[in-house]
Amino acid sequence: MQNIRKEQFKESIKDNLKSLFCVSIDDASQEQLFYATSKAIQLIIINKWINTQKIQKEQDAKIVYYMSMEFLMGRALGNNIINLKENEIITESIKELGLDLNVMENQEPEPALGNGGLGRLAACFLDSLATLGYPAMGCGIRYKYGMFKQQIKDGFQVELPDDWLRHGYPFEIKKNEDAVEVKFGGYSRMYRDVYGKVSFINEGYQGVIAVPYDIPIVGYNNDVVNTLRVWDAEAIFKFDLDAFDKGNYVNASEQETFANTICSVLYPNDNNFVGKRLRLTQQYFFVSATVQRAIKDYLKNHDDLHKLSDKIAFQMNDTHPSLSVAELMRILVDDYFFDWDDAWEITQKTCAYTNHTIMSEALEKWDVDLFKGLLPRVYEIIEEINKRFCLDVSTKYPDDYSKIKNMAILYDNKVRMANLAIVGSHSVNGVAELHTEILKNQLLKDFYIMTPEKFSNKTNGITQRRFLLHGNPLLATWVTNKIGNSWITGLQKMNKLVDYADEITAQNEFMDIKHKNKIRLAEYIKEHNNIDIDTNSIFDVHVKRLHEYKRQLLNVFHIMYLQNKLIENPNMEFYPRTFIFGAKASAGYMKAKSIIKLINCVADRINSDTRLHGKLKVVFIENYNVSIAEIIVSAADVSEQISTASKEASGTSNMKFMLNGAITLGTMDGANVEIIEEVGKENAVTFGLSSQEVLDYEKYGGYFPKDIYDNDIDIQCILNQLINGYYYMYNFNDIYNSLLSRDDYFILKDFRSYVEAQEQIEKLYKNKSQWAKSAILNTAKSGKFSSDRTIQEYVDDIWHLEKLN
Ligand code: 26Q
């Protein structure tokens, strides 16, 4: 039986090579092999996909639409193979054909339809939903160009387009029959029928067709296949040639240009709001398409929209899809003639909102005029929602205008999307305990006081299938040998590793695997950066988006400090260190780009300074993405999680590092707090201001960075090197000036405490057995941080789904 299936699978690959490329297996390129293999796997998946949909329909199961502008999926081939039940048949067949799976995997263009944490979280959630067997559909945008490719030229970031669809993407399927029309602009006109019933019609609008492409999400070893649906826009005339007035060429090409623009590119901003018209167009485009389609599908098997929330949940990933609230109202009121109050009850019961930030610069606030022009009818609906809500508020708090000021949806000529999302949802959640507390007690305090029952915490998680089973096969095998494979779908089982933490053989094995992973990373760095690094040095890793609050600068200052100390005192006690960075800066974020340049300048100077005898190395890995993350994370000794306390809502790379046995060096921020709670203070190193201290300084003042500079000779030396030509005559005046005048992210304030924390890391590492024990305990205690646990909490508290059976 096994053999027959293997032969079938091999034939399938060979057939694909012929029909797709007209080549035999011996003449096929690696890219052709990747494509043909992917298509053979897609065929196995499709049978399960169809079956999952059938079961879902028979069971009439409730489904969650996970609505997100971003899905940072990473490569699919390797992950799909791992998750499929036929895993062994497939890998053996590939071997028997003489193909190298690793080489093939590296051919896959990475679907990078996301920036960072928020997009990757959405991807982990889809993996967990499918693995737990819950009906779910991810809904997003099929950007033609995803996250830009980053090159470092002369130390500067250069952005290149990510043309991931150029050669076609083997796992997507276009679904023409599920297309819907989305309307922009024009104006809405009140219409009274002969019975005096009032309704609204949209006139003079510009329409585009939203066409979905479906990508399978394979559950682990359970035959469930869910869907990631990404929408593309097409011009109406192109979609329906018959309906096209062929006389009107100019109008036709305008339509086409508009349609082509909508899904052209992912905005590369992370934790920063840009109020661009195209961005709002994208948001409404995918929201309207998703909500329209969901209602049409619901009505295929149900007749009463009052019960919508029994069968559908819309989960809004941040405020980017919060137009869902208004769009659902619009459809219910305008298209299905619901009373406002009924429509509102349905909407609130169906929608739920996740907040991912407390930083004011990241909160979405749209200009009213821009909004009205693009979405006139939706704006009217929001006006009505706002009017009724404000009436509620002023009835409840008659003498307190501050309540309206904080909670109104329309204020100061802006549409405040977070307020829209909160008012229109039955559930609002933060993404880590500390973050949720800050939401309840500060940012969203008035909402919390008014409707405490809406609020809850859902601490983020990551999928161990990608970030251990796929990314770190050596450690995955070791863990399975020790405790069995139940951790793959139940990460709490990792706790059994505690028994091995004190065992010398286990410690040696664990550190030996770490060393092998360090060699794998060192080879990557040699190939891509042409830098030799010492695989016996401490690998100290800081990879994430570049943002001032994430404080890559604090890390660099410490490196400069070490360099200065080592040059001053060549014989000082020092354990060899390799500092590894990876970070993309948003294309328009000048300060962030300066910091990248600084990291590269410091790296060049240090790596070529023979006085340091190779004891200190600095590497900037370009184009940090999901595939590279898998390699980097498994090789890390130290996990840098050093955001200014209160700023990082959760963080998720902190969890990936912990899972792979790195020790956290972090502030008490986001999920770091919970990581330290799980692993114990003695197995992590913390430093810096507390979130309350930061929030108090921000509120009351009292922090003067210049005082710190004046009193600390090491800091003076470092800051002066930024502007005195030390780095190849390149000056970092922007960084220097903003630190001395404001230092918004408390870098100088936390510097000394960070230096001490780093000294503690060195001390710990020198005790090999102690370090190994801590590393094992980090892996052992990472159970809480599986996205399987997070998803189960969303299901229990918010979505109330039942499993497919
Ligand atoms: C908004 C408007 C216009 C253009 C872009 C944006 C935009 C895009 C992306 C705003 C924010 C983002 C991304 C935010 C993000 O990644 N947040 C992170 O979410 C993670 C998952 O919850 C958390 O772990 C991180 O702490 C949080 O920073």
Side-chain angles (χ1 to χ4, degrees), residues 69-70 115-122 125 266-276 279 283 317-320 354-357 359 361-364 366 431 435 460 545 549-550 647-655 670-671:
M69 290 281 278
E70 306 190 10
N115 275 285
L118 169 140
R120 184 55 232 176
L121 184 76
F125 280 4
L266 165 75
Y267 277 87
N269 303 69
D270 174 291
N271 276 298
N272 181 40
F273 171 64
V274 288
K276 290 274 163 50
R279 171 82 181 181
Q283 294 187 346
N317 198 19
D318 212 311
T319 53
H320 319 155
T354 304
N355 173 290
H356 298 263
T357 188
M359 289 192 299
E361 65 268 33
L363 296 178
E364 288 195 290
W366 292 98
V431 290
H435 169 60
N460 283 167
R545 282 302 291 258
Y549 84 81
K550 295 180 188 282
K647 304 296 176 219
E648 190 71 274
S650 162
T652 42
S653 75
N654 45 4
M655 303 170 185

Short mmCIF file of all heavy atoms in Angstrom, two decimals, residues 69-70 115-122 125 266-276 279 283 317-320 354-357 359 361-364 366 431 435 460 545 549-550 647-655 670-671, ligand 1:
data_model
loop_
_atom_site.label_atom_id
_atom_site.label_comp_id
_atom_site.label_asym_id
_atom_site.label_seq_id
_atom_site.Cartn_x
_atom_site.Cartn_y
_atom_site.Cartn_z
N MET A 69 -5.10 42.59 7.58
CA MET A 69 -4.43 43.19 6.42
C MET A 69 -3.13 42.44 6.12
O MET A 69 -2.50 42.68 5.10
CB MET A 69 -4.08 44.66 6.69
CG MET A 69 -5.24 45.60 6.75
SD MET A 69 -5.85 46.06 5.12
CE MET A 69 -4.71 47.36 4.67
N GLU A 70 -2.70 41.61 7.07
CA GLU A 70 -1.40 40.96 6.92
C GLU A 70 -1.46 39.48 7.29
O GLU A 70 -2.06 39.12 8.31
CB GLU A 70 -0.36 41.64 7.83
CG GLU A 70 -0.28 43.14 7.61
CD GLU A 70 0.90 43.79 8.32
OE1 GLU A 70 1.78 43.06 8.83
OE2 GLU A 70 0.93 45.02 8.35
N ASN A 115 4.20 42.64 7.70
CA ASN A 115 5.36 43.39 8.17
C ASN A 115 6.16 42.65 9.21
O ASN A 115 7.36 42.48 9.08
CB ASN A 115 4.89 44.71 8.81
CG ASN A 115 4.68 45.80 7.79
OD1 ASN A 115 5.64 46.36 7.29
ND2 ASN A 115 3.43 46.08 7.46
N GLY A 116 5.47 42.25 10.28
CA GLY A 116 6.18 41.65 11.41
C GLY A 116 5.22 40.91 12.30
O GLY A 116 4.45 40.07 11.82
N GLY A 117 5.23 41.25 13.58
CA GLY A 117 4.51 40.50 14.61
C GLY A 117 3.04 40.25 14.32
O GLY A 117 2.56 39.13 14.45
N LEU A 118 2.35 41.31 13.93
CA LEU A 118 0.91 41.18 13.73
C LEU A 118 0.58 40.21 12.58
O LEU A 118 -0.34 39.40 12.68
CB LEU A 118 0.31 42.57 13.48
CG LEU A 118 -1.11 42.72 12.99
CD1 LEU A 118 -1.76 43.89 13.70
CD2 LEU A 118 -1.13 42.98 11.50
N GLY A 119 1.35 40.29 11.51
CA GLY A 119 1.12 39.42 10.37
C GLY A 119 1.52 37.98 10.66
O GLY A 119 0.86 37.03 10.23
N ARG A 120 2.62 37.83 11.40
CA ARG A 120 3.06 36.47 11.74
C ARG A 120 2.09 35.83 12.73
O ARG A 120 1.83 34.64 12.68
CB ARG A 120 4.49 36.50 12.27
CG ARG A 120 5.09 35.13 12.57
CD ARG A 120 5.04 34.16 11.38
NE ARG A 120 4.44 32.90 11.74
CZ ARG A 120 4.20 31.89 10.91
NH1 ARG A 120 4.53 31.97 9.62
NH2 ARG A 120 3.65 30.80 11.32
N LEU A 121 1.55 36.62 13.63
CA LEU A 121 0.57 36.10 14.58
C LEU A 121 -0.63 35.51 13.83
O LEU A 121 -1.11 34.43 14.14
CB LEU A 121 0.09 37.20 15.53
CG LEU A 121 -0.87 36.74 16.62
CD1 LEU A 121 -0.12 35.99 17.71
CD2 LEU A 121 -1.65 37.91 17.23
N ALA A 122 -1.08 36.25 12.81
CA ALA A 122 -2.22 35.77 12.01
C ALA A 122 -1.88 34.43 11.38
O ALA A 122 -2.72 33.51 11.32
CB ALA A 122 -2.57 36.80 10.95
N PHE A 125 -1.92 31.71 14.01
CA PHE A 125 -3.30 31.41 14.39
C PHE A 125 -3.96 30.48 13.38
O PHE A 125 -4.69 29.56 13.75
CB PHE A 125 -4.11 32.70 14.52
CG PHE A 125 -3.90 33.43 15.82
CD1 PHE A 125 -2.98 32.98 16.76
CD2 PHE A 125 -4.64 34.58 16.13
CE1 PHE A 125 -2.79 33.64 17.97
CE2 PHE A 125 -4.46 35.25 17.34
CZ PHE A 125 -3.54 34.79 18.25
N LEU A 266 1.91 46.16 -0.26
CA LEU A 266 1.75 46.18 1.20
C LEU A 266 2.44 47.43 1.74
O LEU A 266 3.61 47.68 1.40
CB LEU A 266 2.40 44.93 1.80
CG LEU A 266 2.66 44.94 3.31
CD1 LEU A 266 1.37 44.73 4.10
CD2 LEU A 266 3.67 43.86 3.69
N TYR A 267 1.75 48.19 2.57
CA TYR A 267 2.43 49.32 3.24
C TYR A 267 3.46 48.77 4.23
O TYR A 267 3.11 47.96 5.09
CB TYR A 267 1.40 50.19 3.98
CG TYR A 267 0.73 51.18 3.06
CD1 TYR A 267 -0.40 50.84 2.33
CD2 TYR A 267 1.26 52.46 2.90
CE1 TYR A 267 -1.01 51.74 1.47
CE2 TYR A 267 0.66 53.37 2.04
CZ TYR A 267 -0.47 53.01 1.33
OH TYR A 267 -1.05 53.90 0.48
N PRO A 268 4.70 49.22 4.09
CA PRO A 268 5.74 48.63 4.94
C PRO A 268 5.86 49.28 6.31
O PRO A 268 6.93 49.29 6.91
CB PRO A 268 7.01 48.85 4.12
CG PRO A 268 6.74 50.12 3.38
CD PRO A 268 5.25 50.19 3.14
N ASN A 269 4.76 49.82 6.82
CA ASN A 269 4.79 50.45 8.14
C ASN A 269 4.44 49.43 9.20
O ASN A 269 3.57 48.61 9.01
CB ASN A 269 3.73 51.54 8.24
CG ASN A 269 3.91 52.58 7.18
OD1 ASN A 269 3.70 52.31 6.01
ND2 ASN A 269 4.31 53.74 7.59
N ASP A 270 5.08 49.58 10.31
CA ASP A 270 4.84 48.68 11.43
C ASP A 270 4.71 49.57 12.65
O ASP A 270 5.61 50.36 12.93
CB ASP A 270 6.06 47.75 11.52
CG ASP A 270 6.02 46.86 12.71
OD1 ASP A 270 6.15 47.37 13.83
OD2 ASP A 270 5.88 45.65 12.53
N ASN A 271 3.60 49.47 13.33
CA ASN A 271 3.38 50.31 14.50
C ASN A 271 3.49 51.79 14.20
O ASN A 271 4.06 52.56 14.97
CB ASN A 271 4.37 49.94 15.62
CG ASN A 271 3.85 48.77 16.41
OD1 ASN A 271 2.80 48.86 17.04
ND2 ASN A 271 4.55 47.66 16.37
N ASN A 272 2.99 52.17 13.05
CA ASN A 272 3.00 53.58 12.69
C ASN A 272 1.88 53.81 11.69
O ASN A 272 1.77 53.12 10.70
CB ASN A 272 4.35 53.94 12.08
CG ASN A 272 4.42 55.39 11.72
OD1 ASN A 272 3.93 56.23 12.46
ND2 ASN A 272 5.01 55.69 10.57
N PHE A 273 1.04 54.82 11.98
CA PHE A 273 -0.11 55.08 11.14
C PHE A 273 0.26 56.04 10.01
O PHE A 273 0.88 57.06 10.25
CB PHE A 273 -1.24 55.67 11.99
CG PHE A 273 -2.39 56.17 11.18
CD1 PHE A 273 -3.16 55.30 10.42
CD2 PHE A 273 -2.71 57.52 11.16
CE1 PHE A 273 -4.23 55.77 9.68
CE2 PHE A 273 -3.77 57.99 10.43
CZ PHE A 273 -4.54 57.12 9.68
N VAL A 274 -0.09 55.68 8.79
CA VAL A 274 -0.01 56.66 7.69
C VAL A 274 -1.42 56.81 7.11
O VAL A 274 -2.08 55.84 6.78
CB VAL A 274 0.97 56.24 6.58
CG1 VAL A 274 2.40 56.36 7.04
CG2 VAL A 274 0.68 54.84 6.08
N GLY A 275 -1.86 58.05 7.02
CA GLY A 275 -3.26 58.30 6.63
C GLY A 275 -3.47 58.43 5.14
O GLY A 275 -4.05 59.39 4.67
N LYS A 276 -2.97 57.47 4.38
CA LYS A 276 -3.04 57.56 2.92
C LYS A 276 -4.35 56.99 2.38
O LYS A 276 -4.83 55.95 2.83
CB LYS A 276 -1.88 56.76 2.31
CG LYS A 276 -0.53 57.37 2.53
CD LYS A 276 -0.22 58.41 1.47
CE LYS A 276 0.91 59.36 1.82
NZ LYS A 276 2.12 58.74 2.29
N ARG A 279 -4.42 53.33 1.38
CA ARG A 279 -4.50 52.39 2.51
C ARG A 279 -5.96 52.19 2.94
O ARG A 279 -6.41 51.08 3.18
CB ARG A 279 -3.66 52.94 3.66
CG ARG A 279 -3.79 52.21 4.97
CD ARG A 279 -2.94 50.95 5.05
NE ARG A 279 -3.15 50.31 6.33
CZ ARG A 279 -2.53 49.20 6.73
NH1 ARG A 279 -1.66 48.62 5.93
NH2 ARG A 279 -2.78 48.68 7.89
N GLN A 283 -8.33 48.83 2.88
CA GLN A 283 -9.06 48.33 4.04
C GLN A 283 -10.51 48.06 3.68
O GLN A 283 -11.04 46.98 3.96
CB GLN A 283 -8.99 49.34 5.20
CG GLN A 283 -7.57 49.50 5.73
CD GLN A 283 -7.47 50.36 6.98
OE1 GLN A 283 -8.41 51.07 7.34
NE2 GLN A 283 -6.34 50.32 7.65
N ASN A 317 -8.18 41.88 13.31
CA ASN A 317 -6.78 41.91 13.74
C ASN A 317 -6.30 43.36 13.73
O ASN A 317 -5.91 43.88 12.70
CB ASN A 317 -5.93 41.05 12.80
CG ASN A 317 -4.58 40.69 13.41
OD1 ASN A 317 -4.39 40.76 14.62
ND2 ASN A 317 -3.63 40.31 12.56
N ASP A 318 -6.37 43.99 14.89
CA ASP A 318 -6.13 45.43 15.04
C ASP A 318 -7.27 46.21 14.38
O ASP A 318 -8.29 45.62 13.98
CB ASP A 318 -4.76 45.84 14.47
CG ASP A 318 -4.18 47.01 15.27
OD1 ASP A 318 -4.89 47.99 15.49
OD2 ASP A 318 -3.01 46.93 15.69
N THR A 319 -7.11 47.51 14.25
CA THR A 319 -8.20 48.33 13.71
C THR A 319 -8.23 48.32 12.19
O THR A 319 -9.15 48.87 11.60
CB THR A 319 -8.06 49.79 14.18
OG1 THR A 319 -6.75 50.25 13.85
CG2 THR A 319 -8.30 49.90 15.66
N HIS A 320 -7.24 47.73 11.55
CA HIS A 320 -7.18 47.78 10.09
C HIS A 320 -8.46 47.27 9.41
O HIS A 320 -8.84 47.80 8.38
CB HIS A 320 -5.93 47.05 9.57
CG HIS A 320 -4.69 47.32 10.37
ND1 HIS A 320 -3.63 46.45 10.44
CD2 HIS A 320 -4.37 48.35 11.18
CE1 HIS A 320 -2.71 46.94 11.25
NE2 HIS A 320 -3.13 48.09 11.71
N THR A 354 -9.15 42.86 18.36
CA THR A 354 -7.90 42.68 19.08
C THR A 354 -7.04 43.92 18.93
O THR A 354 -6.79 44.37 17.81
CB THR A 354 -7.11 41.48 18.53
OG1 THR A 354 -7.92 40.31 18.58
CG2 THR A 354 -5.84 41.24 19.33
N ASN A 355 -6.59 44.46 20.05
CA ASN A 355 -5.69 45.62 20.02
C ASN A 355 -4.24 45.13 20.11
O ASN A 355 -3.93 44.22 20.88
CB ASN A 355 -6.04 46.55 21.20
CG ASN A 355 -5.04 47.68 21.34
OD1 ASN A 355 -3.89 47.48 21.72
ND2 ASN A 355 -5.48 48.89 21.04
N HIS A 356 -3.35 45.77 19.35
CA HIS A 356 -1.94 45.36 19.37
C HIS A 356 -0.98 46.47 19.76
O HIS A 356 0.23 46.30 19.63
CB HIS A 356 -1.50 44.83 18.01
CG HIS A 356 -2.23 43.61 17.55
ND1 HIS A 356 -1.75 42.33 17.72
CD2 HIS A 356 -3.42 43.47 16.94
CE1 HIS A 356 -2.61 41.46 17.21
NE2 HIS A 356 -3.64 42.14 16.74
N THR A 357 -1.51 47.61 20.17
CA THR A 357 -0.57 48.69 20.51
C THR A 357 -1.20 49.73 21.42
O THR A 357 -2.41 49.95 21.37
CB THR A 357 -0.04 49.39 19.24
OG1 THR A 357 1.00 50.29 19.62
CG2 THR A 357 -1.13 50.21 18.54
N MET A 359 0.65 52.69 21.54
CA MET A 359 1.39 53.90 21.14
C MET A 359 0.50 54.80 20.28
O MET A 359 -0.05 54.36 19.27
CB MET A 359 2.65 53.51 20.39
CG MET A 359 3.67 52.90 21.35
SD MET A 359 5.27 52.73 20.61
CE MET A 359 4.88 51.64 19.29
N GLU A 361 1.07 57.08 18.16
CA GLU A 361 1.39 57.28 16.74
C GLU A 361 0.94 56.11 15.87
O GLU A 361 0.92 56.18 14.65
CB GLU A 361 2.88 57.56 16.53
CG GLU A 361 3.84 56.43 16.88
CD GLU A 361 4.34 56.51 18.31
OE1 GLU A 361 3.58 56.97 19.19
OE2 GLU A 361 5.49 56.08 18.57
N ALA A 362 0.58 55.00 16.52
CA ALA A 362 0.14 53.84 15.74
C ALA A 362 -1.38 53.75 15.63
O ALA A 362 -1.90 52.94 14.87
CB ALA A 362 0.69 52.56 16.38
N LEU A 363 -2.09 54.58 16.38
CA LEU A 363 -3.56 54.49 16.34
C LEU A 363 -4.11 55.12 15.07
O LEU A 363 -3.71 56.21 14.66
CB LEU A 363 -4.16 55.18 17.57
CG LEU A 363 -3.79 54.54 18.92
CD1 LEU A 363 -4.39 55.34 20.07
CD2 LEU A 363 -4.25 53.09 18.99
N GLU A 364 -5.05 54.41 14.45
CA GLU A 364 -5.59 54.88 13.17
C GLU A 364 -6.64 55.96 13.39
O GLU A 364 -7.67 55.73 14.03
CB GLU A 364 -6.23 53.71 12.44
CG GLU A 364 -5.23 52.72 11.89
CD GLU A 364 -5.89 51.81 10.88
OE1 GLU A 364 -6.72 50.98 11.29
OE2 GLU A 364 -5.58 51.94 9.68
N TRP A 366 -8.53 58.62 10.83
CA TRP A 366 -8.64 59.08 9.44
C TRP A 366 -9.26 60.45 9.36
O TRP A 366 -10.22 60.77 10.07
CB TRP A 366 -9.49 58.09 8.62
CG TRP A 366 -8.80 56.78 8.45
CD1 TRP A 366 -9.00 55.65 9.18
CD2 TRP A 366 -7.77 56.47 7.50
NE1 TRP A 366 -8.16 54.65 8.73
CE2 TRP A 366 -7.41 55.12 7.71
CE3 TRP A 366 -7.12 57.20 6.49
CZ2 TRP A 366 -6.42 54.49 6.95
CZ3 TRP A 366 -6.15 56.57 5.73
CH2 TRP A 366 -5.81 55.23 5.97
N VAL A 431 -3.01 41.60 24.00
CA VAL A 431 -2.26 40.44 23.55
C VAL A 431 -1.21 39.93 24.55
O VAL A 431 -0.43 39.04 24.24
CB VAL A 431 -1.62 40.70 22.17
CG1 VAL A 431 -2.70 40.75 21.09
CG2 VAL A 431 -0.79 41.99 22.17
N HIS A 435 -0.06 44.26 28.77
CA HIS A 435 -0.67 45.09 27.73
C HIS A 435 -2.17 45.29 28.01
O HIS A 435 -2.68 46.41 27.94
CB HIS A 435 -0.45 44.41 26.37
CG HIS A 435 -1.22 44.99 25.23
ND1 HIS A 435 -1.10 46.30 24.83
CD2 HIS A 435 -2.15 44.44 24.40
CE1 HIS A 435 -1.90 46.52 23.80
NE2 HIS A 435 -2.55 45.42 23.52
N ASN A 460 -0.49 36.25 23.40
CA ASN A 460 -0.09 35.69 22.11
C ASN A 460 0.62 34.34 22.25
O ASN A 460 1.04 33.96 23.34
CB ASN A 460 0.88 36.65 21.40
CG ASN A 460 0.17 37.84 20.77
OD1 ASN A 460 0.81 38.81 20.38
ND2 ASN A 460 -1.13 37.78 20.66
N ARG A 545 11.46 43.93 13.63
CA ARG A 545 11.40 45.18 12.88
C ARG A 545 12.23 46.26 13.56
O ARG A 545 12.39 46.26 14.78
CB ARG A 545 9.94 45.64 12.76
CG ARG A 545 9.18 44.87 11.72
CD ARG A 545 9.81 44.98 10.36
NE ARG A 545 9.67 46.33 9.85
CZ ARG A 545 8.78 46.70 8.94
NH1 ARG A 545 7.97 45.81 8.41
NH2 ARG A 545 8.73 47.94 8.54
N TYR A 549 11.34 52.17 19.59
CA TYR A 549 10.94 51.62 20.89
C TYR A 549 11.52 50.23 21.14
O TYR A 549 11.64 49.80 22.28
CB TYR A 549 9.40 51.63 21.03
CG TYR A 549 8.68 50.45 20.43
CD1 TYR A 549 8.60 49.23 21.11
CD2 TYR A 549 8.07 50.53 19.17
CE1 TYR A 549 7.93 48.15 20.56
CE2 TYR A 549 7.39 49.46 18.62
CZ TYR A 549 7.33 48.27 19.32
OH TYR A 549 6.68 47.20 18.78
N LYS A 550 11.90 49.53 20.09
CA LYS A 550 12.50 48.20 20.26
C LYS A 550 13.98 48.30 20.67
O LYS A 550 14.61 47.31 21.01
CB LYS A 550 12.35 47.38 18.99
CG LYS A 550 10.88 47.06 18.66
CD LYS A 550 10.74 46.24 17.39
CE LYS A 550 9.31 46.08 16.91
NZ LYS A 550 8.55 45.05 17.67
N LYS A 647 5.89 49.58 25.89
CA LYS A 647 5.71 49.84 24.45
C LYS A 647 5.44 48.61 23.61
O LYS A 647 4.73 48.68 22.60
CB LYS A 647 6.94 50.55 23.87
CG LYS A 647 7.33 51.84 24.55
CD LYS A 647 6.26 52.89 24.42
CE LYS A 647 6.63 54.13 25.20
NZ LYS A 647 5.46 54.74 25.86
N GLU A 648 6.01 47.49 23.97
CA GLU A 648 5.82 46.27 23.16
C GLU A 648 4.59 45.55 23.69
O GLU A 648 4.61 45.01 24.79
CB GLU A 648 7.06 45.38 23.26
CG GLU A 648 7.07 44.22 22.28
CD GLU A 648 7.30 44.68 20.85
OE1 GLU A 648 6.30 45.04 20.18
OE2 GLU A 648 8.47 44.69 20.40
N ALA A 649 3.53 45.53 22.89
CA ALA A 649 2.28 44.97 23.39
C ALA A 649 2.50 43.54 23.90
O ALA A 649 2.11 43.19 25.00
CB ALA A 649 1.23 44.98 22.28
N SER A 650 3.15 42.73 23.09
CA SER A 650 3.44 41.37 23.53
C SER A 650 4.86 40.98 23.11
O SER A 650 5.72 40.68 23.92
CB SER A 650 2.44 40.39 22.92
OG SER A 650 2.94 39.07 22.98
N GLY A 651 5.09 41.02 21.79
CA GLY A 651 6.29 40.42 21.24
C GLY A 651 5.98 38.94 21.04
O GLY A 651 5.22 38.34 21.82
N THR A 652 6.53 38.36 19.99
CA THR A 652 6.37 36.93 19.79
C THR A 652 7.71 36.27 19.47
O THR A 652 7.87 35.06 19.67
CB THR A 652 5.36 36.63 18.65
OG1 THR A 652 5.58 37.53 17.57
CG2 THR A 652 3.94 36.78 19.14
N SER A 653 8.69 37.05 19.02
CA SER A 653 10.00 36.42 18.79
C SER A 653 10.57 35.97 20.13
O SER A 653 11.25 34.95 20.21
CB SER A 653 10.95 37.36 18.06
OG SER A 653 11.44 38.36 18.93
N ASN A 654 10.24 36.71 21.20
CA ASN A 654 10.67 36.29 22.53
C ASN A 654 10.26 34.83 22.81
O ASN A 654 11.02 34.06 23.41
CB ASN A 654 10.13 37.25 23.61
CG ASN A 654 8.65 37.60 23.42
OD1 ASN A 654 7.99 37.07 22.53
ND2 ASN A 654 8.14 38.50 24.25
N MET A 655 9.07 34.46 22.34
CA MET A 655 8.57 33.09 22.57
C MET A 655 9.31 32.07 21.70
O MET A 655 9.61 30.96 22.13
CB MET A 655 7.07 33.04 22.26
CG MET A 655 6.27 34.05 23.07
SD MET A 655 4.56 34.18 22.48
CE MET A 655 3.98 35.51 23.54
N GLY A 670 5.59 43.62 27.76
CA GLY A 670 4.85 42.67 26.93
C GLY A 670 4.83 41.28 27.54
O GLY A 670 4.67 41.11 28.75
N ALA A 671 5.01 40.28 26.69
CA ALA A 671 4.96 38.90 27.15
C ALA A 671 6.25 38.48 27.85
O ALA A 671 6.30 37.39 28.43
CB ALA A 671 4.67 37.96 25.98
C1 26Q B 1 -1.50 51.24 9.94
C2 26Q B 1 -1.97 52.23 9.12
C3 26Q B 1 -1.38 52.49 7.91
C4 26Q B 1 -0.31 51.73 7.51
C5 26Q B 1 0.17 50.73 8.33
C6 26Q B 1 -0.41 50.48 9.55
C7 26Q B 1 0.13 49.41 10.42
C8 26Q B 1 0.63 48.24 9.87
C9 26Q B 1 1.14 47.24 10.67
C10 26Q B 1 0.14 49.52 11.80
C11 26Q B 1 0.64 48.51 12.59
C12 26Q B 1 1.15 47.35 12.04
C13 26Q B 1 1.71 46.25 12.80
C14 26Q B 1 1.70 46.17 14.11
C15 26Q B 1 2.32 45.05 14.82
O1 26Q B 1 2.97 44.21 14.23
N1 26Q B 1 2.15 44.97 16.13
C16 26Q B 1 2.72 43.89 16.92
O2 26Q B 1 1.75 42.88 17.05
C17 26Q B 1 2.30 41.72 17.67
C18 26Q B 1 1.24 40.65 17.67
O3 26Q B 1 0.27 40.95 18.63
C19 26Q B 1 2.80 42.04 19.05
O4 26Q B 1 3.46 40.90 19.56
C20 26Q B 1 3.77 43.21 19.02
O5 26Q B 1 4.10 43.59 20.34
C21 26Q B 1 3.14 44.37 18.28
O6 26Q B 1 4.09 45.43 18.16
#
